[in-house]
């Protein structure tokens, strides 16, 4: 089966850069996704990596190293609105459903 | 409007009652999912469906029943609600492995 690990909490100040790590164990690999969830809201898709390297989408970037079973989400120029929980997720062995990590709660301080 | 909608958004019920949470999507996505989210447990998969009339269990299926007679609908039924089923339930859909689209959630309280 799949299992994912993330830090439970990260704190940073406005304007800074923060990295949220995710390590995974999977029998097969179909990609690593990242989701953002604000308190009281629904998770929303941020990024997806199928191949090694960095994917950039505005202030957010996501990195994957398949050989290390490791990925991270990089948030630059942090804003107060980035305070949220961030989840990494991988598809299961058959690529038919998704397993989520426990989530990292990011607090952005003024 | 296009998207994925859940109803009801909030529900309070009593132990032993049957509850059905509805999920409807307008994208004709093949895959649909039900997750529950509890503090300290993140998102846990209850059931998923790869197509109409095809459903399969996830990580925590006990006490739940699903059906999918039409591609756009994926209701979740709690046959006899228990207090441990108090949670936030999210429905999601997808047509690719890479991205899930979530509904706004249904907040269920079982007294």
């Amino acid at each position: 089966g799949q299992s994912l690990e993330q830090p439970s909490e990260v704190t940073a100040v406005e304007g800074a850069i923060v990295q949220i790590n995710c390590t995974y164990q999977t029998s097969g690999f179909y990609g690593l996704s990242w989701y953002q969830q604000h308190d009281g809201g629904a998770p929303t898709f941020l990024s997806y990596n199928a191949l090694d390297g960095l994917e950039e989408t505005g202030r957010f970037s996501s990195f994957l190293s398949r050989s290390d079973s490791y990925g991270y989400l990089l948030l630059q120029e942090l804003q107060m609105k980035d305070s949220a929980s961030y989840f990494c997720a991988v598809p299961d062995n058959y690529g038919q459903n998704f397993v989520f990590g426990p989530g990292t709660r990011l607090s952005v301080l003024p | 409007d296009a998207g994925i909608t859940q109803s009801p958004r909030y529900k309070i019920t009593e132990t032993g009652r049957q509850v059905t949470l509805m999920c409807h999507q307008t994208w004709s996505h093949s895959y649909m999912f039900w997750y529950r989210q509890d503090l300290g447990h993140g998102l846990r998969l209850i059931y998923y469906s790869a197509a109409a009339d095809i459903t399969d269990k996830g990580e925590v299926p006990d006490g739940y029943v699903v059906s999918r007679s039409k591609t756009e609908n994926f209701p979740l039924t709690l046959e006899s609600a228990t207090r441990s089923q108090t949670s936030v339930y999210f429905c999601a859909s997808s047509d690719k492995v890479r991205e899930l689209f979530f509904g706004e959630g249904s907040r269920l309280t079982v007294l």
Side-chain angles (χ1 to χ4, degrees), chain A residues 30 33 35 37 40-43 45 48 87 91-92 95-100 102, chain B residues 31 33 35 37 42-43 45 48 50 90 94 96-100 102-104 107:
Chain A
Y30 297 89
S33 298
Y35 290 80
Q37 185 180 29
F45 173 80
Y48 169 78
F87 296 88
D92 73 350
Q96 288 198 339
N97 69 65
F98 294 79
V99 177
F100 282 78
Chain B
Y31 293 93
F33 309 82
Y35 288 88
Q37 186 172 37
L43 288 155
L45 182 67
Y48 68 101
F90 286 102
S94 174
K96 311 176 200 178
V97 171
R98 58 177 284 171
E99 181 175 359
L100 288 178
F102 284 86
E104 294 179 312
R107 285 151 181 81

Side-chain angles (χ1 to χ4, degrees), chain A residues 47-90:
Chain A
S47 67
Y48 169 78
N49 294 71
L51 302 175
D52 292 349
L54 194 67
E55 295 280 343
E56 297 181 62
T57 309
R59 293 188 297 114
F60 294 2
S61 303
S62 56
F63 172 82
L64 175 66
S65 170
R66 288 176 293 172
S67 60
D68 295 322
S69 297
Y70 164 75
Y72 66 72
L73 182 69
L74 191 72
L75 296 82
Q76 303 182 70
E77 300 174 15
L78 280 173
Q79 303 176 9
M80 298 296 290
K81 67 179 181 180
D82 298 329
S83 292
S85 292
Y86 294 84
F87 296 88
C88 56
V90 293

